Amino acid sequence: MGKITGFLEIDRKVESYAPVEERIKNYREFTLPMEEKDVKDQGARCMDCGIPFCHSGCPLGNLIPDFNDAVYRGKWEKASEILHSTNNFPEFTGRLCPAPCEEACVLGINEDPVTIENIEKNIAETAFKKGWITAKPPLERTGKKVAVVGSGPAGLAAAQQLNRAGHQVTVFERDEKPGGLLRYGIPDFKMEKHVIDRRLELLKEEGIEFKCGVHVGKDIKADALKNDFDAIVLTGGATVRRKLPIEGADLKGVVQAMDFLGQNNRRVDGIKDLGEEILATDKDVVVIGGGDTGSDCIGTSFRQGAKSVSNFEIMPMGTPDRPKDQPWPFWPMRLRTSSSHKEGAERFFSISTKKFIGDEKGNLKGLITSEVEWVTVPGQRPQLKEVEGTEKEWKCELALLALGFTGSENTIAEQLGLEMDNRTNIKASELNYKTNVPGIFVAGDQRRGQSLIVWAISEGRQAAHHIDKYLMGESALPLKGEGDLPRV
Ligand SMILES: Cc1cc2nc3c(=O)[nH]c(=O)nc-3n(C[C@H](O)[C@H](O)[C@H](O)COP(=O)(O)OP(=O)(O)OC[C@H]3O[C@@H](n4cnc5c(N)ncnc54)[C@H](O)[C@@H]3O)c2cc1C
Ligand code: SF4
């Protein structure tokens, strides 16, 4: 429970960042580690609140007060056991999670919440440093074979859980290396890729086989895979990018964010053959879209040496405080400012891009916007309305489209006869992750649509339980929040 009076005595403190002018010179992570005493003090702020709402704020049901208490008492190995009992990859979430748990922290009602995410990262990194995280292959094999299609956080979590249950797991990934968006979406300055490789080595040691460069649906037909395996879990993500179908969208310099980010992550990985290079160097860059992807484009553009970076968001500017209609402990839609925003981007809200302008060679040289407002008519969905007389021309040689994703690709679904839902994800209930075809399961962004790493891990774990049950009639794999180890 932490120290009884800890929350009264100790202020919230999180890792600080290297100065902007230093960190944008490279792609390394730039958080500055905290002293062990400071992290223990932060654990001491957890206040034994009776009903820990943080548990339900966390999609994994992490046992947060328990690991906070262990950290406060310096029992780091115990903290790591508790954390790993509900979360396969706390080194990912400890760096990248937006921490809905902190929005649900009881201390957060009238004080700064406990720094749960940062404590999580410190537990994971201490455990790796001390050598406590080791491969744990299953003692027995069941003789059942499971294929995992897609190696993002959902696929990796499902694979580890199913392997623990003794099934022979093969992960198919069409990219050259496993990791999904962790590797080819999220930039190294948010998470260096050796963090993924360190975990992959353990998964391989545990007996999971990875087949990269294999596009299921093209290189292997999905129905052939079905004949070779006892069950399949689809974890291919929500990869269909939203387009901006306006005049000039085909000009050279109008680029999908994922093409830009994927290429840069490969460049940072030392890959030379990148095809046509997309670079922000010496350009006025406009990033269209105010979410995580947009923010990653901003940080990457600055590191490539952009002349200026502007960020457009069609929604109005939120308030930094929790809006009154989104009370604690719910996740509030408020203004969030990322470390990349703070690197010098100018942000514009309630703005819509109407047209891209090109030069005589077909290169982007500018764009036209207008301000917009959302008009609410009772009984109808809010309508977007242009504000007359607000048209503006901007100089821009690189426009990055970070408009989100519309759902899952449908090749595998067509080959297997899978139903899609009305948001073009593969249809399956959260109750059992089963598609309409027996033996085929789906989890992560491919089932729930574009979401978060913590949700992907949670879905991978949940799906693994239901697959194990389908194969064996029952399952000892834990469901959300159960954990698979005794508590302190
Ligand atoms: C730029 C960006 C930044 C983000 N930042 C954050 C963040 O900071 N924090 C956070 O919580 N979330 C973030 N997200 C969201 C998060 O990355 C995703 O929600 C999460 O990765 C989804 O995991 P997944 O395993 O379902 O799918 P993915 O990570 O998308 O992985 C799917 C994998 O399946 C592979 N695949 C697809 N189809 C096939 C096929 N037919 N055959 C073989 N392989 C296939 C793909 O190549 C990919 O490797 C970000 C997303 C983006 C795009
Ligand atoms: S995974 Fe995310 S939501 Fe869960 S405890 Fe960690 S930071 Fe909080």
Side-chain angles (χ1 to χ4, degrees), residues 83-159:
L83 182 53
H84 279 89
S85 73
T86 54
N87 185 354
N88 299 62
F89 313 121
E91 69 277 26
F92 304 160
T93 47
R95 286 174 166 79
L96 298 166
C97 191
C101 56
E102 294 184 18
E103 295 287 3
C105 172
V106 173
L107 186 54
I109 296 174
N110 60 344
E111 292 281 342
D112 290 333
V114 176
T115 62
I116 301 166
E117 185 199 9
N118 204 214
I119 290 175
E120 189 169 327
K121 175 180 167 190
N122 277 278
I123 296 171
E125 288 308 316
T126 304
F128 270 110
K129 222 176 282 159
K130 298 272 186 189
W132 297 328
I133 304 180
T134 52
K136 295 190 181 61
L139 297 176
E140 285 178 8
R141 289 283 172 192
T142 60
K144 304 281 185 192
K145 287 166 66 188
V146 184
V148 177
V149 181
S151 66
L156 295 181

Side-chain angles (χ1 to χ4, degrees), residues 98-208:
C101 56
E102 294 184 18
E103 295 287 3
C105 172
V106 173
L107 186 54
I109 296 174
N110 60 344
E111 292 281 342
D112 290 333
V114 176
T115 62
I116 301 166
E117 185 199 9
N118 204 214
I119 290 175
E120 189 169 327
K121 175 180 167 190
N122 277 278
I123 296 171
E125 288 308 316
T126 304
F128 270 110
K129 222 176 282 159
K130 298 272 186 189
W132 297 328
I133 304 180
T134 52
K136 295 190 181 61
L139 297 176
E140 285 178 8
R141 289 283 172 192
T142 60
K144 304 281 185 192
K145 287 166 66 188
V146 184
V148 177
V149 181
S151 66
L156 295 181
Q160 189 172 41
Q161 293 298 96
L162 288 162
N163 186 65
R164 281 177 179 163
H167 309 306
Q168 194 59 57
V169 179
T170 308
V171 180
F172 293 88
E173 170 55 58
R174 64 185 172 193
D175 284 335
E176 54 274 50
K177 289 186 184 176
L181 288 173
L182 297 173
R183 189 182 294 277
Y184 295 119
I186 293 165
D188 287 58
F189 56 82
K190 274 170 61 181
M191 186 171 77
E192 291 176 25
K193 303 313 169 205
H194 61 80
V195 175
I196 311 174
D197 296 333
R198 177 176 69 180
R199 185 58 82 167
L200 287 171
E201 283 313 308
L202 293 170
L203 299 183
K204 287 178 195 163
E205 240 181 274
E206 288 176 354
I208 299 169

Side-chain angles (χ1 to χ4, degrees), residues 69-82:
D69 182 65
V71 166
Y72 161 56
R73 292 173 200 286
K75 296 180 179 173
W76 288 92
E77 191 167 7
K78 186 50 112 185
S80 168
E81 281 174 20
I82 298 165

